[in-house]
Amino acid sequence: MRVSKKAILAELQRCYPDAGPELNFRNPYETLVAVMLSAQCTDKQVNKVTPALFERYPDVAAMAAASVDDVYPMVKSCGFKSKASNIVEACRLILQNHGGQVPGDMKFLTALPGVGQKTANVVLANAFGVPTIAVDTHVFRVSNRLGLANAKNVELTEEQLKVAIPQKDWVAAHHWLIFHGRRVCHAQRPDCAGCSLRTLCKAYDAAQKTGQPVISPAKSRKKAASGTA
């Protein structure tokens, strides 16, 4: 089928006009910490953890002075101890190299421990208003199923989406795709019957022709869901 990327984007926007971050944060520091915690963890769980964490460590300087052994019990439900270690060390480097201000630059962000391109993109978009497209597991799956991209890894998917989507919509489209992945286009058993995009969807069209179920696109070993992707 011929994929109409313009029609797909218009329908995503119609379905999710109010799509936005589901992590709770108020400033660049909180954005960075929340996004680092969200790698391979649900936003809902991160939002349970961060109020107490930010009350105790309200800024970069406070987190930089913290002990990893004190931070880890507060974020343990979000993953391994390495997350706590990376957050503390990242804040120490921000204090040392950037005067305590989270840098709004991809190069400087990805130089921090535990911050890969996906995490940096989310921080740049949500904390600094920089037009980017962060490719997490939902964006990777949905964009390749629909036909907005045709890639086997996160990096190429990001490149293709930046061509397929007008720059002014990059940040919004990131949220549209995430919302669709969480609500309709699940990794297992996507709700194609209830999806208003099915007549525009490359994967649904292929499934109808072969009689096989819609499957998730193959991807490289570098996981889309990882904050260090």
Side-chain angles (χ1 to χ4, degrees):
M1 69 177 293
R2 182 178 179 275
V3 173
S4 175
K5 296 175 181 178
K6 184 177 181 180
I8 289 171
L9 293 169
E11 181 60 15
L12 284 169
Q13 183 177 24
R14 187 194 70 80
C15 291
Y16 310 108
D18 300 319
E22 294 188 293
L23 285 172
N24 295 331
F25 47 75
R26 297 168 295 186
N27 53 56
Y29 159 69
E30 292 187 0
T31 307
L32 176 63
V33 172
V35 176
M36 290 176 74
L37 288 173
S38 73
Q40 299 179 332
C41 180
T42 66
D43 290 356
K44 183 178 180 180
Q45 185 57 40
V46 174
N47 289 338
K48 290 180 180 179
V49 163
T50 49
L53 183 70
F54 294 147
E55 182 177 3
R56 184 167 180 180
Y57 305 106
D59 52 32
V60 167
M63 185 63 78
S67 163
V68 174
D69 289 335
D70 289 334
V71 174
Y72 177 53
M74 301 185 72
V75 301
K76 186 176 181 180
S77 62
C78 295
F80 299 110
K81 190 174 184 178
S82 58
K83 284 191 180 182
S85 179
N86 285 337
I87 288 168
V88 171
E89 182 59 24
C91 286
R92 289 174 181 169
L93 291 173
I94 291 169
L95 189 63
Q96 174 183 312
N97 299 329
H98 304 286
Q101 301 299 310
V102 175
D105 178 274
M106 173 65 75
K107 178 182 176 181
F108 292 135
L109 283 170
T110 54
L112 300 172
V115 179
Q117 185 166 321
K118 188 270 287 187
T119 295
N121 273 333
V122 175
V123 173
L124 289 172
N126 292 292
F128 298 100
V130 176
T132 64
I133 298 180
V135 180
D136 69 356
T137 185
H138 301 293
V139 174
F140 178 85
R141 180 179 69 255
V142 175
S143 63
N144 281 282
R145 276 179 175 170
L146 287 172
L148 291 173
N150 182 25
K152 292 186 177 180
N153 60 56
V154 175
E155 294 80 8
L156 189 55
T157 297
E158 181 180 331
E159 291 177 14
Q160 292 179 2
L161 288 177
K162 286 182 175 179
V163 174
I165 302 170
Q167 187 180 50
K168 66 181 180 63
D169 293 328
W170 284 358
V171 175
H174 162 78
H175 294 301
W176 299 338
L177 291 164
I178 288 177
F179 270 47
H180 194 62
R182 287 177 174 167
R183 290 157 175 76
V184 179
C185 196
H186 311 121
Q188 304 295 328
R189 299 181 182 177
D191 181 19
C192 295
C195 179
S196 63
L197 284 150
R198 64 182 179 275
T199 60
L200 304 170
C201 178
K202 181 184 71 174
Y204 181 77
D205 180 69
Q208 292 296 104
K209 289 176 179 177
T210 62
Q212 300 296 316
V214 171
I215 61 172
S216 291
K219 62 172 177 274
S220 68
R221 291 182 181 180
K222 187 171 286 190
K223 295 181 179 179
S226 172
T228 55

